[in-house]
Amino acid sequence: MNSAIIKGTGHYTPEHILTNADLEKIVDTSDEWIQTRTGIQERRVLNGHNDIGLSGMATNAARDAIDDAGLEPKDIEAVIMATVTPDYRLPATATLVQHNLGIGRVALMDIVAACTGFLYGLSVSRAFITCGMYKNVLVIGGEHLTSITNYEDRTTCVLFGDGAGAAVVSRGEPSDNGRGILATYLAGDGQYKDLLHIPLGGSKNPFTNDNAHLPGRHVHMDGREIFKLAVKEMADAAEHVLEQAGCKPSDIDMVIPHQANHRIIEALRRRLNVPEDRVYSNIQSYGNTSSASVPIALDEARRTGVVKEGSLVLSTAFGGGLVWGSALYRL
Ligand code: UT7
């Protein structure tokens, strides 16, 4: 069987910064509450730079990932875009990225798996590569979350930010000895669909003149319930991939989890029993960017030398659907 290795990564976040102090002026909240309960200090927002949209952020992240992989756009044979905030309901954002970058007429698809979207994409790319169908697959996680955020709801608006991250997943060579995506685990349960959702704007409850201004057009979340489930299922998903690959938590060089809340990350760390310096977190700078959070963190960790070729990395994520999953990979 072919191995599938992460050959290059990239990320893009908008320049505009929304701080906790800015949010104090918009809703009844405080820097102290936000930092204590979530770990977030600031987040990046497309506000004022909407012209590039999600597809623009995704394109920038993807360009860097392709370059980092030492490839050119023409080498990419499939684009998998994970997002819940596409530029349009039709067409898929993957088609916009393909066109922007001058990628050929290849397989283009979007995946809707919320915060777990990038890990779903990674798993699909691995399947494409290991079965011999493609050699180089571009996987992107990107969100324009502030476009679905209700800035009158303090329980959610302090959490979300915008951004995109990308990875090129390629067929490994014999010389890539031991590198590659070693195991993935994907799961979900639709019984929890109302815990994190956008009630309006789909084909079941389409926008009308009467409802288009209602809060239902924004994301709704039962944070407390999600918190409990996230800790349990992210840890469970992590154990699944460790078991599949025959590894122990002590083998992991770095856990790069979904960045939803520093308390969730800390609870996960304790469950896995890994030391603090083996868990990567950048939630203070970006907040929760849903499907973008893992690839942004992975790219940052690679570029700053926190992880390097040969590092064993575990990523695990959880989000709306509810869907969750994990991946274990040697860089
Ligand atoms: O990305 C994947 C999915 N999302 C997540 O994984 C998020 C999971 N959930 C969380 O991260 C946390 O539940 C939150 C950060 C959303 C909330 O933290 P919490 O500790 O669970 O707070 P809570 O919802 O239990 O609320 C505690 C109090 C409430 O006041 P009362 O009822 O105790 O008087 C809230 O009204 O905090 C209040 N509150 C706030 N106060 C100041 C909620 N949001 C705010 C706020 N500023 N922004």
Side-chain angles (χ1 to χ4, degrees):
M1 196 168 73
N2 300 312
S3 63
I5 67 166
I6 295 179
K7 201 167 180 179
T9 56
H11 82 273
Y12 174 86
T13 54
E15 279 172 28
H16 189 78
I17 295 174
L18 186 68
T19 65
N20 291 350
D22 295 329
L23 285 162
E24 284 176 350
K25 294 177 200 140
I26 302 172
V27 285
D28 179 16
T29 191
S30 67
D31 175 49
E32 200 265 334
W33 190 95
I34 301 171
Q35 287 213 44
T36 316
R37 299 291 181 121
T38 72
I40 301 168
Q41 294 172 8
E42 58 187 40
R43 63 293 286 146
R44 300 298 181 99
V45 299
L46 263 185
N47 189 12
H49 305 271
N50 279 331
D51 48 322
I52 77 164
L54 168 70
S55 59
M57 294 193 293
T59 300
N60 291 341
R63 187 183 291 111
D64 280 357
I66 294 169
D67 192 47
D68 185 46
L71 298 174
E72 293 180 27
K74 66 172 173 48
D75 299 318
I76 300 298
E77 297 164 279
V79 180
I80 302 173
M81 174 82 222
T83 188
V84 294
T85 49
D87 278 3
Y88 309 104
R89 288 185 66 194
L90 188 71
T93 304
T95 66
L96 308 179
V97 174
Q98 173 264 353
H99 182 63
N100 288 345
L101 288 175
I103 291 170
R105 293 176 161 183
V106 302
L108 305 170
M109 72 188 80
D110 282 13
I111 288 183
V112 181
C115 309
T116 320
F118 179 76
L119 298 183
Y120 267 68
L122 215 54
S123 190
V124 173
S125 72
R126 177 184 182 230
F128 278 151
I129 287 166
T130 54
C131 80
M133 197 163 165
Y134 300 123
K135 218 169 146 187
N136 297 304
V137 178
L138 176 62
V139 184
I140 312 165
E143 302 291 358
H144 186 180
L145 277 188
T146 58
S147 70
I148 54 165
T149 299
N150 180 356
Y151 283 95
E152 292 179 359
D153 175 10
R154 69 175 182 172
T155 67
T156 53
C157 75
V158 301
L159 305 173
F160 301 127
D162 299 328
V168 173
V169 183
S170 298
R171 187 187 299 169
E173 306 290 337
S175 56
D176 292 320
N177 205 3
R179 292 178 67 197
I181 302 170
L182 307 180
T184 60
Y185 172 77
L186 305 176
D189 190 342
Q191 74 166 300
Y192 301 113
K193 66 181 171 46
D194 294 337
L195 292 184
L196 180 43
H197 69 144
I198 303 172
L200 292 177
S203 60
K204 187 155 192 238
N205 297 306
F207 288 129
T208 64
N209 287 341
D210 296 330
N211 72 18
H213 61 285
L214 296 176
R217 71 187 190 281
H218 293 124
V219 70
H220 284 245
M221 181 171 76
D222 181 339
R224 214 175 294 190
E225 274 310 302
I226 297 266
F227 189 109
K228 284 186 265 178
L229 289 162
V231 172
K232 181 187 172 302
E233 301 301 352
M234 283 170 77
D236 185 58
E239 279 157 18
H240 270 280
V241 285
L242 286 169
E243 194 181 309
Q244 267 183 58
C247 294
K248 309 181 289 303
S250 56
D251 297 327
I252 302 167
D253 292 307
M254 194 58 61
V255 179
I256 303 185
H258 170 48
Q259 310 282 313
N261 185 316
H262 80 100
R263 290 183 294 140
I264 293 178
I265 295 172
E266 175 57 14
L268 173 71
R269 184 189 75 75
R270 284 170 189 270
R271 286 207 182 197
L272 291 177
N273 196 21
V274 293
E276 278 177 27
D277 62 356
R278 297 210 174 178
V279 179
Y280 191 79
S281 177
N282 59 10
I283 191 167
Q284 66 283 355
S285 309
Y286 303 119
N288 182 345
T289 57
S290 188
S291 68
S293 90
V294 169
I296 290 175
L298 171 60
D299 186 49
E300 264 192 6
R302 285 183 74 239
R303 286 176 196 262
T304 54
V306 170
V307 291
K308 46 189 182 302
E309 199 171 304
S311 296
L312 185 67
V313 180
L314 185 143
S315 289
T316 175
F318 183 91
L322 297 173
V323 287
W324 57 94
S326 57
L328 185 71
Y329 43 100
R330 194 172 291 286
L331 291 172

